[in-house]
Amino acid sequence: MPLSNDPFVLQDSRLLRHQPFVNGQWIDGDAPALAVDNPATGACLGEVETLSAASVNAAIDAARDALPGWKAMTARERSVRMERWHDLMLEHADDLARIMTLEQGKPLAEARGEILYGASFAKWFAEESRRAYGEIIPPPARGRRLLVLREPIGVCAAITPWNFPCAMIVRKTAPALAAGCPIILKPAESTPFSALALAELAQRAGIPPGVFNVVLGNPPDIGKAFAAHPAVRKLSFTGSTRTGRVLLAQAAEQIQKVTLELGGNAPFIVFEDADFDAAIDGAIAAKFRNAGQVCVAVNRILVHETLFGRFTECLAARVAALKVGNGLDPDTDIGPLINAAAIERITALLAEAKADGAKIHTGGQPHKLGGLYFEPTVITQINPCARLWREEIFGPVITLIPFRDEAEALRLANDTEYGLASYFYSRDLGRLFRVAEGLHFGMVGANTPAISSECAPFGGIKASGFGREGSSHGIDDYLEFKTVWIGGI
Ligand code: SIN
């Protein structure tokens, strides 16, 4: 039920939904409703209805029943609907961006960028669905033939985070749909309205009932329901490493296939031969997008000792000039953090680092705007054992340390349990290859902060998870190989 003083002024008010979407219907909740707050103001935006575990099971049953029809469609029939979904996202990009900024806090221009980024996965996988080729293998014996078919894995489940309330949903849903799999999505509790708007558009695009479902409710209960239902063959999760471990263990029950995109601790190395200005721009872009609440956000900057002082000074000046405010204000660079726990955690990490001798060059505390705003912060003299250096910060705080040579830079950069994204700046051709190969991460940005695209495999190694989303490989986890031997020919 929307509350009074509804701040959602949308061109298409039917995008604002408050109920779970199951089997092509907006259904009543049977568990306590969930209030959704605007992190910029603290005001309640409205409530969404939620489901009990029994109703989540019924949603999975609906997806299971929708599988044969969706799988039986030709790839072209599926792709036409997915292209329409993409087009509708673009058509409604302004409304979708506004919903996102209201419930998530990121600046409106960033939110709009995310809608385009999210939509790109619908288009990409609409195209990929028509290229899910099998194989004919030269048979090892006369009179026989050997074929490999690629078939949809079955019902899929996805659990998505609040930091990218559109893109992470489409990045998981589109390859499932393309492969011929129905999907049940549980979006983050803080950002359900974006997910429900995407479901509304999927329905308008002609995605049949039961093929794309959105369930809302208690996260551990829903996670357990996904794991326990024999129809669910695949789970894709983006979120913390802690929750990823729990979901992976639970998925063992039904031997479900799992994709995990978990935490990161991205290094950003600035070598002595780097383009200095480009490295400063890159560090700002790769750190402060979405107030630093990004799995691939830069967590640690390593600067060659000859540049360290100048780099720190320039970076601190640029960071101090970033404008903190409500994401609806067009001048805002950095919106609020998602909740009070995020502010408390960052405050605690900074307090520990300061007590250990860290030096703050700019920022360092909650912003004078109050609420969930935090000052963009630059720190040096960090102890490499500090949590601020070792853990994913997920906020607008960056630490810098100097290094002597390439070997030391690689050793420091790789000294983390995580392995998602990494970045470095250098103009030496040999070093570009050496360092890209020497970094133990799933993704490397060399002289660029922009590493996310529907065309490129996205994912990590080590405690950052496994599996790749996007690219031609992104559909693989949603398909099974079936080997067919034909004899007597
Ligand atoms: C993430 O933070 O998990 C997603 C970032 C991206 O896709 O660029």
Side-chain angles (χ1 to χ4, degrees):
M1 180 191 65
L3 298 188
S4 57
N5 295 327
D6 195 344
F8 287 109
V9 186
L10 303 177
Q11 291 158 35
D12 182 345
S13 57
R14 284 188 308 136
L15 291 179
L16 189 61
R17 295 290 184 167
H18 297 81
Q19 290 178 305
F21 183 70
V22 173
N23 206 16
Q25 308 283 330
W26 300 100
I27 62 168
D28 292 339
D30 59 352
L34 186 69
V36 182
D37 292 343
N38 180 346
T41 61
C44 180
L45 291 167
E47 289 184 346
V48 289
E49 297 180 30
T50 74
L51 298 177
S52 65
S55 297
V56 173
N57 267 322
I60 301 171
D61 291 344
R64 179 198 56 207
D65 296 345
L67 174 63
W70 185 242
K71 176 179 167 178
M73 279 193 186
T74 64
R76 186 179 164 75
E77 285 166 337
R78 287 196 295 269
S79 77
V80 165
R81 288 163 173 79
M82 293 175 63
E83 293 260 6
R84 221 181 282 146
W85 192 34
H86 160 267
D87 294 347
L88 285 168
M89 285 183 229
L90 297 197
E91 204 178 295
H92 295 281
D94 289 339
D95 277 350
L96 295 174
R98 188 173 173 84
I99 292 172
M100 190 188 298
T101 293
L102 284 166
E103 65 179 354
Q104 199 276 338
K106 67 178 66 179
L108 203 51
E110 265 189 46
R112 208 173 186 289
E114 187 189 329
I115 301 301
L116 306 189
Y117 174 47
S120 71
F121 290 100
K123 185 159 182 62
W124 175 270
F125 284 109
E127 290 158 356
E128 284 302 304
S129 70
R130 301 170 65 183
R131 295 187 236 300
Y133 304 131
E135 288 171 23
I136 298 177
I137 299 176
R142 286 197 185 86
R144 302 180 80 186
R145 296 291 181 274
L146 177 52
L147 277 59
V148 181
L149 309 180
R150 296 183 84 200
E151 298 191 338
I153 191 166
V155 171
C156 300
I159 301 179
T160 53
W162 50 263
N163 61 340
F164 285 86
C166 165
M168 297 306 99
I169 291 175
V170 190
R171 191 156 83 184
K172 295 180 190 313
T173 303
L177 300 186
C181 305
I183 189 160
I184 303 142
L185 164 74
K186 190 211 80 68
E189 303 82 84
S190 1
T191 55
F193 289 122
S194 294
L196 297 174
L198 290 175
E200 166 68 24
L201 295 181
Q203 187 181 33
R204 290 184 201 176
I207 306 290
V211 171
F212 179 34
N213 308 276
V214 182
V215 296
L216 307 166
N218 180 273
D221 290 351
I222 295 181
K224 283 185 195 141
F226 285 168
H229 199 300
V232 175
R233 299 311 317 140
K234 151 100 191 150
L235 171 73
S236 180
F237 170 70
T238 295
S240 71
T241 298
R242 190 167 37 85
T243 305
R245 283 198 176 99
V246 172
L247 292 170
L248 184 58
Q250 288 177 178
E253 199 180 330
Q254 307 282 346
I255 320 285
Q256 292 165 340
K257 198 166 180 178
V258 178
T259 297
L260 297 174
E261 201 259 275
L262 308 175
N265 182 1
F268 183 103
I269 312 172
V270 184
F271 287 101
E272 64 276 28
D273 54 48
D275 176 334
F276 187 91
D277 294 337
I280 293 276
D281 289 345
I284 301 268
K287 173 66 218 182
F288 292 100
R289 178 165 70 122
N290 199 13
Q293 302 171 114
V294 182
C295 302
V296 294
V298 172
N299 224 46
R300 309 168 284 153
I301 300 186
L302 297 87
V303 187
H304 191 262
E305 59 189 5
T306 55
L307 299 178
F308 188 76
R310 186 158 73 96
F311 193 90
T312 306
E313 221 172 89
C314 286
L315 186 72
R318 287 278 301 276
V319 170
L322 293 172
K323 183 156 186 295
V324 176
N326 188 321
L328 292 180
D329 176 347
D331 292 335
T332 292
D333 298 308
I334 309 240
L337 299 190
I338 191 69
N339 53 31
I343 296 273
E344 280 158 25
R345 183 169 170 277
I346 287 173
T347 308
L349 291 180
L350 278 167
E352 277 175 37
K354 272 195 281 185
D356 210 7
K359 176 173 174 191
I360 298 199
H361 293 257
T362 185
Q365 56 194 352
H367 195 273
K368 59 180 182 307
L369 286 173
L372 301 179
Y373 295 100
F374 202 92
E375 291 178 346
T377 300
V378 174
I379 299 183
T380 58
Q381 295 175 23
I382 185 88
N383 179 341
C385 297
R387 286 206 295 147
L388 202 54
W389 186 258
R390 305 210 71 80
E391 292 184 10
E392 184 174 44
I393 299 170
F394 236 62
V397 174
I398 189 66
T399 55
L400 296 92
I401 69 170
F403 66 86
R404 267 187 315 276
D405 55 26
E406 193 177 297
E408 186 183 29
L410 277 172
R411 184 180 55 72
L412 289 166
N414 289 333
D415 180 22
T416 170
E417 63 172 317
Y418 295 105
L420 189 59
S422 56
Y423 307 84
F424 71 97
Y425 277 66
S426 167
R427 282 181 289 195
D428 179 301
L429 185 60
R431 176 173 275 159
L432 282 170
F433 281 92
R434 276 196 311 277
V435 174
E437 289 161 9
L439 284 166
H440 301 161
F441 295 83
M443 294 172 284
V444 180
N447 296 328
T448 177
I451 58 165
S452 305
S453 161
E454 78 281 15
C455 319
F458 187 104
I461 58 173
K462 301 177 11 188
S464 295
F466 48 75
R468 292 294 178 270
E469 298 187 315
S471 83
S472 58
H473 304 291
I475 198 168
D476 291 348
D477 275 356
Y478 298 86
L479 292 166
E480 291 282 29
F481 290 114
K482 181 186 275 177
T483 307
V484 181
W485 289 90
I486 303 175
I489 291 176

